[in-house]
Amino acid sequence: MRIKIQFILPILLIAGQLSAQKKDENIGTEVVNVVKPYTPTISDAFKVKENPPLEDEDNTKKETINYSIFSFPVASTFVPSKGKAANVDKEQKQRLYSNYVTGGVGSFLNLLGELYVTQEISDTDYAAGMFKHFSSLSDIKESKLDSKFSNTALDLTYGSRKSKYSWNADLGYQLQRQYWYGLPDEFGQALTPTEINQAISHIDQLQTYHNFSLGGKIKFKESIFNGMNLNYNRFWDAYKSAENRLILQPTLNFDMLNKHVTTEFTVDHLSGSFDKEYSGAAGYQYSFTNLGVYPSFGMKKDDWSFSIGAALVYGIDSEHSNSELFFYPRANATLKIVDQYMMFYTGIDGGLEQNSYRSLTNENLYVSPTLTIAPTDRQYEVYAGLKGKLASNISYNVKGALLNEKNKPLFVANDFHDIPVNKEMYQYGNSFGITYDLVRTLRLFGELRADFTKNISAGVSGTFNQYTMDYEAEPWNLPQIELAANLDVNITPKWYAGAKVFFVGDRKDRQANLDIISLVPIDYTKTVKAYFDANAHVGYKYSDRLTGFLRLNNIGNQAYEKWLNYPVQSFQILLGVNYKFDF
């Protein structure tokens, strides 16, 4: 059979080719009539059921299947290879040094010096010290008198950190030197040129402030007695004025009615004396003691959190044999409206604030050593606001407040006589006194801060005040508008820069030359003009230890007056270095 098939197949193939070659290669032509063009259609859609019925009879009955596992140990020599973590690029951790020294010199012969050192004595004890100095050895061009100044401070600390408590003791001294160089424009109108020169030569004497401080604190980690702060200050000047202040502040923490209660106690004693009054009469003494207790407790419910407390203060005026009991409500609350993006807060606060000669000179160096010292009854401060984030890197805070302050101190320029007869250096219209009044303040505050990247951050803030007084015609030396902005940039790992600008609106003051008072209007209110100040700095990190910097202050070159008749230094340049080290 195999032989026959192999023989027949070639014959059939040859015959097929011969027959095909004989066919007519002309296939002819035909006409095709298209009756209707092709129009595709789409059939109606239908929804497939999620659970179609199963009609297979085998699926209608479930069989029970029992599984059993027969296990036995199998010896294996397989050892998996250990995984290896992928390499991650880490930023080099910046080394932190315990000590640094800073020095700088600039225009107006400004000198800057800072030194901070700390040393671990043992595993628990440490010691630290800080020295600061800033001075100017050149005069302001607009001033007829010496306008040099210096500020030097030294602070020493010794502390210990135990397992159950910690404590530290502080010792400090500060020396400030300045001139009363702010002569008014009306000075000398009743004098001859010779008398003016004699008066100016007589005024060029320094005022010197000294402050000695001794204090410490102790804090317990697990005790009802939470801790205590103790601070003593001795303050005196070159005109036989002296002041002592002792502040003792223990704190208790305990639970009552399932609430955690914190109670602070305060003993604030102030006593001092002035050698003279501004008129030249004999001086006087003052002595105040405030005894206060401040209980408070907090709680939280849903999106609300509360802190409720009070202040009870017993004030004693020993020189006038007066005493009074003051009560102030203290409470605050917060409500989360939109998680971290919007939070509403409100509260009320108050207290008896002790003014002192030192606190007033810290605010205005050019006061006369003839002040009237009294505490301020801050009757209440009611506030409310919103804070949160506009984005993950932009935060905001908007706040409105109403303050009522009884016996609020206001700085007012002292009136003066031209004739230099047995006069002190501060009696030429170049010093300030204090007047007290009941001041009501309506305040609006807004702040916006942004961290654009880890190398760029900026902020802007503004405060707007409206004042109402009972007796004074104006809120002396209190601005209605204060604006500020700042920018900090890390340009490269080595270079950094920053800028700060601020604006302070007009302020009112009053002053009269009593020798020519009949020649001028009775209203001798003066306007201290608004000012704008811009400052910038740039630095270069030569190494992790050594940094150089350049500071530019008052770039607008304005000899503006922060206080009446007291122009500040114009454009200033200061070049300095900072060096970090360890012992």
Side-chain angles (χ1 to χ4, degrees):
M1 290 293 292
R2 182 178 300 174
I3 296 174
K4 292 180 179 180
I5 294 174
Q6 293 177 350
F7 179 75
I8 295 171
L9 284 175
I11 296 174
L12 293 174
L13 292 172
I14 294 172
Q17 288 180 345
L18 294 174
S19 174
Q21 291 176 357
K22 291 181 179 181
K23 290 181 179 180
D24 189 0
E25 295 180 357
N26 186 6
I27 62 174
T29 59
E30 288 188 21
V31 177
V32 180
N33 295 323
V34 178
V35 178
K36 180 180 181 182
Y38 173 70
T39 303
T41 60
I42 301 176
S43 62
D44 295 335
F46 61 91
K47 182 178 181 182
V48 179
K49 295 183 178 179
E50 295 182 358
N51 297 315
L54 302 177
E55 299 178 354
D56 194 345
E57 294 181 356
D58 292 339
N59 294 329
T60 60
K61 183 179 180 181
K62 295 183 180 180
E63 297 290 340
T64 301
I65 301 175
N66 296 322
Y67 295 93
S68 62
I69 299 175
F70 178 70
S71 61
F72 57 91
V74 177
S76 176
T77 60
F78 172 72
V79 178
S81 60
K82 295 182 179 180
K84 185 178 180 181
N87 294 327
V88 178
D89 296 333
K90 296 182 179 180
E91 293 184 2
Q92 185 177 1
K93 187 176 181 180
Q94 186 177 5
R95 180 177 175 182
L96 299 179
Y97 294 92
S98 300
N99 317 292
Y100 75 86
V101 59
T102 300
V105 60
S107 55
F108 294 92
L109 291 179
N110 291 346
L111 301 178
L112 171 68
E114 293 183 7
L115 174 65
Y116 177 82
V117 295
T118 180
Q119 182 66 39
E120 297 291 336
I121 306 300
S122 65
D123 293 338
T124 58
D125 293 6
Y126 63 93
M130 182 177 63
F131 171 81
K132 287 186 176 183
H133 174 83
F134 184 65
S135 63
S136 179
L137 303 179
S138 181
D139 295 323
I140 299 173
K141 182 177 64 175
E142 292 78 11
S143 174
K144 300 177 182 178
L145 305 175
D146 285 341
S147 53
K148 308 177 184 70
F149 66 86
S150 68
N151 187 353
T152 306
L154 175 65
D155 291 290
L156 303 175
T157 299
Y158 189 93
S160 180
R161 297 180 291 262
K162 304 292 185 181
S163 59
K164 294 184 178 180
Y165 66 93
S166 61
W167 64 271
N168 68 274
D170 303 316
L171 178 68
Y173 174 74
Q174 184 181 20
L175 172 64
Q176 294 175 278
R177 298 161 63 89
Q178 55 86 26
Y179 290 91
W180 283 294
Y181 66 89
L183 289 177
D185 295 336
E186 297 84 0
F187 174 78
Q189 292 186 12
L191 302 178
T192 64
T194 302
E195 292 174 331
I196 293 176
N197 293 331
Q198 291 177 348
I200 290 177
S201 63
H202 175 67
I203 298 172
D204 275 342
Q205 293 189 22
L206 278 170
Q207 165 66 303
T208 305
Y209 298 114
H210 306 262
N211 186 75
F212 170 79
S213 62
L214 178 64
K217 65 175 62 176
I218 185 170
K219 186 174 183 180
F220 296 91
K221 295 183 179 179
E222 297 179 1
S223 175
I224 294 178
F225 180 55
N226 187 52
M228 181 175 64
N229 296 339
L230 175 66
N231 188 37
Y232 168 74
N233 275 279
R234 167 75 175 178
F235 183 75
W236 69 99
D237 67 6
Y239 289 81
K240 299 180 181 180
S241 308
E243 180 179 79
N244 297 284
R245 188 173 187 180
L246 177 65
I247 301 177
L248 182 66
Q249 295 176 311
T251 304
L252 300 179
N253 286 327
F254 56 90
D255 294 329
M256 183 177 66
L257 300 177
N258 297 324
K259 300 295 182 183
H260 186 71
V261 179
T262 300
T263 304
E264 298 179 359
F265 300 88
T266 298
V267 179
D268 187 352
H269 174 75
L270 175 72
S271 61
S273 62
F274 291 105
D275 185 59
K276 293 182 179 180
E277 293 185 359
Y278 186 77
S279 62
Y284 67 96
Q285 297 180 345
Y286 55 92
S287 178
F288 300 94
T289 303
N290 297 332
L291 307 175
V293 56
Y294 311 93
S296 65
F297 69 92
M299 57 183 176
K300 187 175 182 180
K301 184 177 181 181
D302 298 330
D303 292 332
W304 282 95
S305 61
F306 303 87
S307 178
I308 301 175
L312 192 64
V313 183
Y314 185 65
I316 304 172
D317 182 355
S318 300
E319 290 297 323
H320 298 90
S321 300
N322 292 329
S323 61
E324 188 174 356
L325 183 64
F326 300 88
F327 175 79
Y328 306 96
R330 288 185 170 182
N332 61 75
T334 59
L335 171 64
K336 293 182 180 179
I337 299 177
V338 186
D339 195 16
Q340 62 179 341
Y341 292 97
M342 182 176 291
M343 178 182 294
F344 170 77
Y345 64 93
T346 184
I348 184 172
D349 197 6
L352 187 64
E353 299 178 351
Q354 182 60 68
N355 300 303
S356 66
Y357 186 28
R358 180 172 183 258
S359 66
L360 295 172
T361 55
N362 285 340
E363 190 173 353
N364 184 348
L365 282 172
Y366 309 108
V367 294
S368 62
T370 59
L371 305 179
T372 301
I373 304 298
T376 296
D377 178 12
R378 191 163 59 95
Q379 296 176 333
Y380 60 82
E381 178 183 356
V382 181
Y383 61 89
L386 291 173
K387 61 181 179 180
K389 294 183 177 181
L390 297 177
S392 60
N393 60 342
I394 302 177
S395 62
Y396 67 92
N397 184 15
V398 180
K399 177 182 177 182
L402 180 63
L403 293 81
N404 207 70
E405 298 171 285
K406 186 178 180 180
N407 282 342
K408 180 179 177 64
L410 302 174
F411 293 100
V412 180
N414 286 319
D415 298 334
F416 65 100
H417 291 273
D418 273 343
I419 302 175
V421 178
N422 298 325
K423 294 173 66 174
E424 299 290 349
M425 269 53 69
Y426 51 82
Q427 293 180 319
Y428 292 85
N430 53 345
S431 66
F432 295 82
I434 292 291
T435 184
Y436 293 89
D437 201 350
L438 175 61
V439 180
R440 302 174 185 86
T441 306
L442 177 62
R443 177 171 298 160
L444 295 177
F445 170 79
E447 183 181 37
L448 190 66
R449 298 193 175 276
D451 295 322
F452 299 105
T453 67
K454 67 178 182 179
N455 294 322
I456 303 176
S457 62
V460 60
S461 63
T463 303
F464 306 88
N465 300 301
Q466 182 178 348
Y467 303 101
T468 304
M469 286 71 58
D470 273 7
Y471 304 106
E472 299 295 332
E474 298 286 348
W476 308 119
N477 284 293
L478 294 179
Q480 290 186 333
I481 301 176
E482 295 178 273
L483 304 175
N486 69 281
L487 174 66
D488 293 290
V489 180
N490 291 323
I491 304 171
T492 69
K494 292 288 188 180
W495 289 92
Y496 66 91
K500 292 183 179 180
V501 297
F502 54 91
F503 171 82
V504 177
D506 291 344
R507 290 137 291 145
K508 298 293 185 179
D509 205 337
R510 67 182 185 192
Q511 188 176 53
N513 183 342
L514 300 180
D515 290 327
I516 59 171
I517 190 65
S518 59
L519 303 178
V520 298
I522 297 177
D523 183 8
Y524 45 90
T525 299
K526 297 187 176 183
T527 298
V528 185
K529 294 183 180 180
Y531 62 88
F532 173 84
D533 198 346
N535 309 301
H537 68 272
V538 61
Y540 176 73
K541 298 178 182 178
Y542 180 79
S543 66
D544 59 346
R545 290 176 178 267
L546 183 63
T547 301
F549 60 87
L550 175 67
R551 297 178 183 175
L552 308 176
N553 295 330
N554 196 0
I555 298 175
N557 197 29
Q558 297 182 7
Y560 60 82
E561 295 180 353
K562 187 175 180 180
W563 301 100
L564 181 65
N565 306 322
Y566 277 89
V568 301
Q569 293 179 346
S570 54
F571 177 63
Q572 308 151 48
I573 300 177
L574 188 141
L575 182 65
V577 295
N578 175 275
Y579 182 74
K580 304 173 185 177
F581 61 95
D582 285 329
F583 290 117

